[in-house]
Amino acid sequence: VVFFHIGLMAVTLSQADFAAMIGLMAAYLLPPAGKETVIPIGIALGIPWWYMALSIALIDIETGLFMALNFDLAYRIPYLGPLLSRMTKATAQFIADNRWIAGLWFFAVVFMVMVPVFGSGGVRGSIAGKLLGMNTLLVFGAVVAGSLIGCFGIAYGSDAILGYLCANGTLPKDL
C-alpha cells in the first residue's frame, strides 16, 4: 500500500512537489510535526488542499493498519508484554462491568485520530483501540474515519484561511 501511495504521487506530482511531499510525509511521522502543521505548509507550497489531505490521511491509514495487524507481537516483548496484557485485561473487565460504555470506544478512537496531536494519529489510535480490546477491523475503521475527518477538515480550513489572507493582501497573491 505504501509503495502504491508513493508511486502514485511520483506519477501525479511534479518533481519539486513530489520531493516536498516526501519531506512533509517524513516530517509528519516524526514528532513534533503533526497534521496541523504539515498540511498547511504543503498547501502554502502549492499542493492542492485535497491532495495534501488525502496523502496525510493515507499515512495515518497505512501506519494504523500496520499497528493494528501487528500489535499482538508487542505482548511478546519482555517487561512490556505483561504490562500490556494486564492493561488489556483490566480494560476488558471495566467494559464487562459497564456495558454502556463499550459503544463509545469506537468514537473515542475516531476522536483520538482526528484531533491534531504531534505524530501520526494512526499509530496512537491503533494502540489505544487494541489496548481497549477492540477487534482489528473496528480499530482500522476508527483510524480511517478519524484520519479522513481530521485531515480534510484541517486542509479545507487551511486552504480557506490562506485564500482569505491572500485575497485581502495580508499574504502575497501568488502564494
Side-chain angles (χ1 to χ4, degrees), residues 8-96:
L8 188 61
M9 285 187 342
V11 172
T12 58
L13 290 173
S14 68
Q15 200 170 28
D17 285 346
F18 177 72
M21 270 307 290
I22 293 296
L24 290 169
M25 290 166 61
Y28 177 61
L29 286 172
L30 305 169
K35 62 182 87 174
E36 74 282 1
T37 55
V38 170
I39 291 174
I41 290 170
I43 294 169
L45 291 174
I47 299 169
W49 69 270
W50 57 269
Y51 198 100
M52 197 65 212
L54 188 58
S55 291
I56 299 301
L58 282 173
I59 292 173
D60 274 346
I61 292 167
E62 292 157 0
T63 57
L65 180 62
F66 178 81
M67 290 300 293
L69 292 174
N70 294 301
F71 186 76
D72 295 337
L73 296 175
Y75 289 112
R76 297 182 188 169
I77 299 172
Y79 303 109
L80 180 64
L83 175 68
L84 292 175
S85 182
R86 284 192 302 274
M87 287 174 59
T88 305
K89 287 177 185 169
T91 304
Q93 183 59 46
F94 180 77
I95 291 173

Side-chain angles (χ1 to χ4, degrees), residues 74-158:
Y75 289 112
R76 297 182 188 169
I77 299 172
Y79 303 109
L80 180 64
L83 175 68
L84 292 175
S85 182
R86 284 192 302 274
M87 287 174 59
T88 305
K89 287 177 185 169
T91 304
Q93 183 59 46
F94 180 77
I95 291 173
D97 294 343
N98 303 288
R99 293 297 308 156
W100 64 271
I101 204 165
L104 300 177
W105 289 136
F106 177 83
F107 298 106
V109 173
V110 169
F111 187 72
M112 179 181 285
V113 175
M114 183 178 73
V115 173
V117 180
F118 301 130
S120 172
V123 172
R124 278 190 326 277
S126 292
I127 291 171
K130 294 304 273 185
L131 287 175
L132 292 170
M134 295 169 61
N135 71 40
T136 303
L137 188 57
L138 204 54
V139 169
F140 182 64
V143 168
V144 169
S147 181
L148 289 174
I149 293 168
C151 289
F152 274 88
I154 290 168
Y156 188 70
S158 297

